[in-house]
Amino acid sequence: MHGRLREQLEALCRGVALLGGAALVATMLVVVGSVSSAQFGFPILGDTEIVDLSTGILVFCFLPYCYLHSGNVIVDFFTRPLPRRVNDALDALMHLAFAVVAAVLTWRLIAGGISAYQREQRSMFLALPEWHVYLLGSVVALLWVVVVVFVAWESALRASGRLAAPTDDSTHFG
């Protein structure tokens, strides 16, 4: 069950990261197009709005994949000498603590989206509705929370001896 669930999360996170990559490329094209066309006296109206809104989406798109692959900073000066199982138990606790942080961020993102929808918030020049960005960001942030909890579960399984430790040190959090 664990392996299959990881594969499914991996595929979903990879797809979301690819979506973020596509949004990043589109954002770069808008910037390049705006700067280039401004040289000829035809700047793209609302280019900063497009960049702001797409950046709001694409940043969240990379978080689940990054977290699933332990792309976070590791500070293990004090815990490195401890046995692997102790480190795994500490990792599980840190992942759970981080899950709380990610859940609070997600909750506030959802609340912001509801507020933007109710107030019919729009961008200044293009009048693009802003709640769409919150909606996409919230969905991806929910995936991020699921990934953080999943990684905590993996660490707890390793700490209890029910899951073999990986051959590299890529899952060590703390």
Side-chain angles (χ1 to χ4, degrees):
M1 177 181 143
H2 165 263
R4 192 165 140 222
L5 185 56
R6 182 169 250 290
E7 288 173 8
Q8 290 171 341
L9 270 177
E10 170 73 32
L12 185 57
C13 291
R14 186 180 315 113
V16 169
L18 288 172
L19 174 68
L24 180 59
V25 169
T27 302
M28 290 186 309
L29 290 174
V30 167
V31 170
V32 169
S34 180
V35 170
S36 300
S37 64
Q39 297 303 313
F40 300 106
F42 303 104
I44 297 175
L45 180 64
D47 60 338
T48 56
E49 292 176 2
I50 295 168
V51 170
D52 286 347
L53 294 175
S54 64
T55 301
I57 295 170
L58 70 87
V59 165
F60 279 94
C61 288
F62 298 116
L63 293 175
Y65 185 84
C66 181
Y67 206 91
L68 188 63
H69 289 277
S70 300
N72 44 326
V73 175
I74 297 171
V75 180
D76 61 355
F77 180 76
F78 295 107
T79 61
R80 178 75 98 190
L82 299 175
R84 179 66 195 205
R85 280 190 165 180
V86 172
N87 273 314
D88 288 333
L90 290 170
D91 286 349
L93 288 173
M94 290 298 100
H95 290 306
L96 286 175
F98 191 75
V100 171
V101 172
V104 168
L105 290 172
T106 302
W107 163 53
R108 296 314 305 158
L109 188 61
I110 292 168
I114 291 169
S115 175
Y117 177 78
Q118 290 172 337
R119 293 175 25 217
E120 298 181 15
Q121 254 179 278
R122 295 185 170 272
S123 62
M124 187 183 303
F125 293 114
L126 301 177
L128 298 170
E130 294 183 3
W131 69 269
H132 292 105
V133 175
Y134 285 97
L135 175 65
L136 290 171
S138 297
V139 169
V140 176
L142 283 170
L143 173 61
W144 182 38
V145 172
V146 168
V147 167
V148 173
V149 170
F150 175 79
V151 172
W153 177 59
E154 281 186 324
S155 293
L157 287 177
R158 277 194 302 279
S160 69
R162 292 183 284 171
L163 182 64
T167 55
D168 62 1
D169 209 24
S170 64
T171 59
H172 179 61
F173 186 74

